[in-house]
Amino acid sequence: MTDQQAGLRGWAAARKGALSTLRFTSLRLRLVVVFGLVALTAAVSASGIAYWLNREAVLTRTQDAVLRDFEQEMKNRAGALPARPTQDELQRTAGQMASSSQRFSVLLVAEDASGKAVYGSSGGLNDGFALADVPKSLRTAVNKRQPLTSNNKSPYHLYWQRIVDDGTPYLVAGTRVIGGGPTGYMVKSLEPEAKDLNSLAWSLGIATGLALIGSALLAQAAATTVLKPVHRLGVAARRLGEGELDTRLRVSGTDELADLSRTFNKAAEALEKRVADMAARDEASRRFVADMSHELRTPLTAITAVTEVLEEELDSESGGLDPMIEPAVRLVVSETRRLNDLVENLMEVTRFDAGTARLVLDDVDVADQITACIDARAWLDAVELDAERGIHARLDPRRLDVILANLIGNALKHGGSPVRVAVREEDSEVVIQVRDHGPGIPEDVLPHVFDRFYKASASRPRSEGSGLGLSIALENAHIHGGDITAANSPEGGAVFTLRLPRDASDMVRAAEEKRSEKKGDS
């Protein structure tokens, strides 16, 4: 692998990790989002309320000051005008009123001596403050005479309205002089107040953004505080699942996460104790089987020697045995052989369970190995071999012979001859198929054919074996790094497929390293 490829792979792994951290199912992201939404809601609500209150306060304060000043000017200056003023008098008075402290524009409307409407304006808006600039509804309200009551002492009142012209807000107000006199209108630009309110809105928006950022940082800190113990718990759980039963968590605090860590430690301790007890019982069982198998071999050797003598007497032409006991002798010979096979199989199983089974590799011709296995057991007439010579593999010849003997022997017992053995090469594997022409394997039996001491149903003849042959064959395949599968052929009969690597040296090295690690741990 080049440095560039390694860098690309590292970048892809980092990107994948970042995306997995940011996925919405991530607790960290959900905490940040929730904190952010809460902070955003609170900040927007507070900013909106603050803006509305300040807006009303600013506008109300300005509006009250302007209206109060306008009303005072109307009383003092417009009220001093004659009932029928001239236009010059209106114009001069409007200018004087506009020069007040609030600096608003004034329009005065009255009738001269001839009954003609005259106007006096101090300017304002764009091209001068005219009557057309006053909303019609406001003019109507100003000129409407109100009935006098105990609560209403004046027939005319001051009315005001806010308008917008060319994007600029204005305050427009109007009233009439009580007791007769001109009608006055006032317009005041609210642009300074609008700018102040815009500045306030920007300030509140910036404050909202800062609050959102602060809440995100706070959520990140809170998530880190919460998720660190959760992450440690996850790592500990993975280690426990990988078999490191001595894994424990460091507990600090009295919160819920600390209680969870204590519960985990108690569960891990109980699991370690139970597994240790089970391992001890399993080890005792294996030792018992191994010891019993070993102890049985000594008397079995003597029994085997006697049965061989009896078998020779059975086969001799002199007929040295009484015909009445001949069936019993044959049964003893048969059961002794079966017992011998069972003891050997038990010892082999014990070696697999204890992990002491080892491979002794050699270069073998697979076709020659199969031929030797068939010839040694006198199966030449019952087995058809479809294998080309020259297919070599580095395997353990003895264990390969055990696999083949069990598969072919099982096919002959349960399927009957002819049994066909085919060999082919696939990539770095050697594939050996053993097919019989019997009734096949029932579907409910297929998942259990490699189980120890399992025997087929009544659809097949009762086996005289121990029920360990196929299990031992599978273990021998596994120790090579291979496998065996069982199935039924569409053409009838059972098919066992053995797959072995062309070179099992990697399995030998891996087994040696595992044994070295165990020695180091012990």
Side-chain angles (χ1 to χ4, degrees), residues 63-320:
Q63 174 181 295
D64 290 346
V66 171
L67 293 177
R68 188 168 52 250
D69 195 20
F70 173 65
E71 189 174 22
Q72 189 66 32
E73 290 292 325
M74 284 292 294
K75 289 179 180 179
N76 296 337
R77 297 186 183 275
L81 289 172
R84 301 284 182 172
T86 64
Q87 183 172 0
D88 291 339
E89 291 175 331
L90 287 178
Q91 190 73 28
R92 183 173 58 255
T93 302
Q96 292 173 348
M97 293 174 64
S99 63
S100 68
S101 61
Q102 296 298 325
R103 298 295 179 182
F104 43 73
S105 299
V106 177
L107 172 66
L108 295 177
V109 181
E111 292 182 356
D112 59 8
S114 63
K116 180 181 177 181
V118 290
Y119 303 91
S121 174
S122 64
L125 289 181
N126 297 322
D127 299 328
F129 187 23
L131 190 61
D133 296 324
V134 180
K136 185 177 180 181
S137 58
L138 181 62
R139 282 181 279 160
T140 302
V142 168
N143 293 310
K144 184 177 181 181
R145 183 180 179 87
Q146 301 293 331
L148 298 176
T149 64
S150 59
N151 295 325
N152 181 30
K153 304 298 183 180
S154 174
Y156 298 102
H157 297 278
L158 175 67
Y159 295 94
W160 59 271
Q161 186 175 341
R162 294 174 190 163
I163 63 172
V164 177
D165 185 61
D166 291 335
T168 302
Y170 292 92
L171 174 65
V172 181
T175 187
R176 292 189 66 170
V177 175
I178 299 172
T183 301
Y185 295 99
M186 175 275 302
V187 62
K188 168 70 175 177
S189 174
L190 299 177
E191 186 174 5
E193 287 74 13
K195 289 182 179 179
D196 292 340
L197 292 175
N198 286 335
S199 299
L200 177 62
W202 274 104
S203 300
L204 292 175
I206 294 173
T208 301
L210 293 177
L212 185 61
I213 295 173
S215 67
L217 295 177
L218 181 61
Q220 177 70 15
T224 301
T225 303
V226 173
L227 294 181
K228 272 187 177 180
V230 176
H231 176 70
R232 287 197 296 265
L233 182 61
V235 172
R238 283 192 294 271
R239 291 177 59 188
L240 194 66
E242 292 169 358
E244 299 181 31
L245 301 180
D246 58 343
T247 302
R248 299 292 185 274
L249 288 171
R250 181 172 55 85
V251 181
S252 60
T254 57
D255 57 6
E256 288 81 358
L257 290 174
D259 291 339
L260 181 61
S261 299
R262 292 188 187 92
T263 303
F264 175 86
N265 288 342
K266 290 179 181 178
E269 184 178 355
L271 180 62
E272 183 180 20
K273 186 177 182 302
R274 178 163 295 187
V275 170
D277 292 342
M278 292 177 62
R281 287 196 294 268
D282 190 51
E283 179 63 26
S285 300
R286 286 200 301 267
R287 190 181 302 111
F288 173 76
V289 173
D291 293 344
M292 287 299 298
S293 301
H294 182 73
E295 292 298 327
L296 284 173
R297 294 188 72 177
T298 302
L300 191 58
T301 301
I303 295 173
T304 302
V306 174
T307 55
E308 288 176 355
V309 173
L310 293 175
E311 190 175 14
E312 289 176 1
E313 290 294 328
L314 287 173
D315 295 337
S316 67
E317 296 180 357
S318 61

Side-chain angles (χ1 to χ4, degrees), residues 285-301 338-358 398-399 402 452-453 466-469 471-473 475-476 479:
S285 300
R286 286 200 301 267
R287 190 181 302 111
F288 173 76
V289 173
D291 293 344
M292 287 299 298
S293 301
H294 182 73
E295 292 298 327
L296 284 173
R297 294 188 72 177
T298 302
L300 191 58
T301 301
R338 185 180 175 189
L339 182 59
N340 212 346
D341 291 341
L342 177 60
V343 171
E344 291 297 329
N345 287 340
L346 285 174
M347 294 189 70
E348 186 73 3
V349 167
T350 303
R351 283 190 287 270
F352 281 121
D353 289 344
T356 58
R358 298 188 181 185
R398 185 185 70 82
R399 296 190 181 278
V402 171
R452 293 178 182 178
F453 300 106
S466 61
L468 292 173
S471 175
I472 291 174
E475 293 288 353
N476 278 300
I479 200 175

